[in-house]
C-alpha cells in the first residue's frame, strides 16, 4: 500500500481520490484550492501564541470544549496509558478565541468547510449503490449548519529527551468524525497503519492536503470506508528541538443526523468522548 498525492485539478481526481480513501482510509490532494500562504501564516501566528503565557487566559471550557488544552490534560489514546506529547486549541466560530487571531481562523474554517463539502459529495458519488442507500441523507448535507465541526490548532513542543518511555506525540488512534482535512504539517511524523500492521509515512510535502476517514463515516457507510489507524511519531534523525504545528479540521455532522440504526452523530460523539476521558 502506498499513498500517492492526487491532483485535485486532474480529470480523474474524484475517482482516484475516493479509491485511495476506500483502500487506505486516507487520501492526499495537491493543487487544491486552499492557499498555502494562509496555512503558513496560521502556523506562524499560533506558534507565537503557544510560546506565550497568554494561552493560559483561554483555558478550555469543559462543557463546550472550546479553548486551550494544556499538555497536562492532553488526550490519552484509546488503549494507551501515556498522554500524548502535545497541547492544542479548539476553535469553533461560536467559541472563545484571541480576537487578533480570530479573522484568520474564521477564514480558514470557512474555506476548508467548503472544500470538505465538495469532497463529501465526491465520496457519495463514488459510493456503490448498496452503500449509498445506507446514507440517511447526502453526506455533504450532514455537515451543513453544523456547529460541531472542530478546527484544532495542535502544538507538538520540542522534545527534551527526558520524555516518558513510550510516550509519543500522538499515539495510534482513529478519528471520531466523518472526515478530517489536514494541511501537511511543518514537520514530518504522520504515519498510517497498513492492513498488514506495518506503518507508512504520509507524504508531508508542503502544500499537500491530507484527508482521512473518521469513525462516523465508517459507521454511516456500513464499514465500506475504513477509519484507518494513524499516529504522529517523534522525529527520527530529525531536529527534536523544533516544534510541530498541525491544523486538522474535524468535520462533524449535526448531532441529530442518523448515522446508522445504532447511532446518531450526537450519541456516537458522547460515547467516544467518554472513552477518551475528556468529558
Amino acid at each position: 500500500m502506498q499513498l500517492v498525492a492526487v491532483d485535485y485539478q486532474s480529470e480523474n481526481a474524484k475517482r482516484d481520490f475516493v479509491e485511495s480513501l476506500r483502500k487506505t482510509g486516507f487520501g492526499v490532494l495537491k493543487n487544491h484550492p486552499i492557499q498555502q500562504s494562509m496555512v503558513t501564516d496560521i502556523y506562524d501566528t499560533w506558534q507565537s501564541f503557544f510560546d506565550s503565557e497568554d494561552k493560559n487566559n483561554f483555558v478550555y471550557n469543559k462543557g463546550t470544549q472550546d479553548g486551550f488544552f494544556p499538555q497536562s490534560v492532553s488526550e490519552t489514546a484509546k488503549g494507551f496509558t501515556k498522554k500524548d506529547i502535545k497541547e492544542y486549541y479548539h476553535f469553533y466560530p461560536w467559541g472563545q478565541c484571541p480576537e487578533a487571531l480570530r479573522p484568520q481562523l474564521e477564514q480558514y474554517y470557512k474555506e476548508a468547510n467548503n472544500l470538505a463539502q465538495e469532497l463529501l459529495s465526491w465520496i457519495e458519488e463514488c459510493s456503490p449503490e448498496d452503500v449509498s442507500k445506507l446514507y440517511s441523507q447526502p453526506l455533504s448535507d450532514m455537515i451543513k449548519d453544523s456547529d460541531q465541526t472542530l478546527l484544532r490548532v495542535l502544538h507538538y513542543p520540542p522534545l527534551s529527551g527526558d520524555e516518558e518511555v513510550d510516550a509519543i506525540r500522538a499515539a495510534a488512534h482513529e478519528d471520531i468524525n466523518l472526515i478530517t482535512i489536514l494541511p501537511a504539517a511543518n514537520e514530518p511524523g504522520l504515519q498510517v497503519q497498513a492492513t498488514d500492521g506495518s506503518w507508512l509515512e504520509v507524504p508531508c510535502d508542503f502544500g499537500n492536503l491530507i484527508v482521512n476517514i473518521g469513525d462516523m463515516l465508517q459507521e454511516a457507510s456500513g464499514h465500506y470506508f475504513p477509519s484507518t489507524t494513524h499516529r504522529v511519531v517523534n522525529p527520527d534523525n530529525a531536529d527534536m528541538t523544533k516544534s510541530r504545528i498541525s491544523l486538522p479540521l474535524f468535520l462533524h455532522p449535526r448531532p441529530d443526523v442518523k448515522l446508522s440504526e445504532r447511532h446518531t452523530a450526537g450519541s456516537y460523539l458522547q460515547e467516544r468522548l467518554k472513552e477518551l476521558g475528556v468529558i
Side-chain angles (χ1 to χ4, degrees), residues 128-143:
E129 190 177 340
D130 61 331
V131 175
S132 292
K133 70 183 183 186
L134 299 174
Y135 303 143
S136 64
Q137 58 187 272
L139 293 178
S140 57
D141 285 355
M142 290 183 181
I143 63 169

